[in-house]
Amino acid sequence: MYLTPKSGLFLGGACITAIAAVGSVFELSYGEPNFGVQTTAIILALSIPLTGFFFLAAVRDARANMK
């Protein structure tokens, strides 16, 4: 197992931001968002690249600890 606390935090961040992205898409698609359209769109715009960043950081950390 190559999961370190650091890579675990990155994976947790990736999960949270992915959930935020999916929730934002549903909020924007199906009616009035709870936080308003602008705030929900900002959350969506930030969560997509953050998901990729956190996931790649977790993979890089796990690969670095394979030795």
Side-chain angles (χ1 to χ4, degrees), residues 2-18 50-62 65:
Y2 304 110
L3 185 69
T4 63
K6 184 178 173 183
S7 62
L9 286 174
F10 284 140
L11 281 176
C15 291
I16 290 170
T17 55
L50 280 175
T51 301
F53 169 76
F54 284 138
F55 183 75
L56 288 176
V59 170
R60 286 182 184 156
D61 185 64
N65 291 308

Side-chain angles (χ1 to χ4, degrees), residues 1-51:
M1 189 74 167
Y2 304 110
L3 185 69
T4 63
K6 184 178 173 183
S7 62
L9 286 174
F10 284 140
L11 281 176
C15 291
I16 290 170
T17 55
I19 291 168
V22 171
S24 295
V25 168
F26 279 111
E27 285 281 325
L28 290 170
S29 298
Y30 297 110
E32 283 293 316
N34 290 336
F35 298 124
V37 174
Q38 184 177 7
T39 305
T40 305
I42 291 170
I43 292 170
L44 176 62
L46 291 175
S47 62
I48 291 173
L50 280 175
T51 301

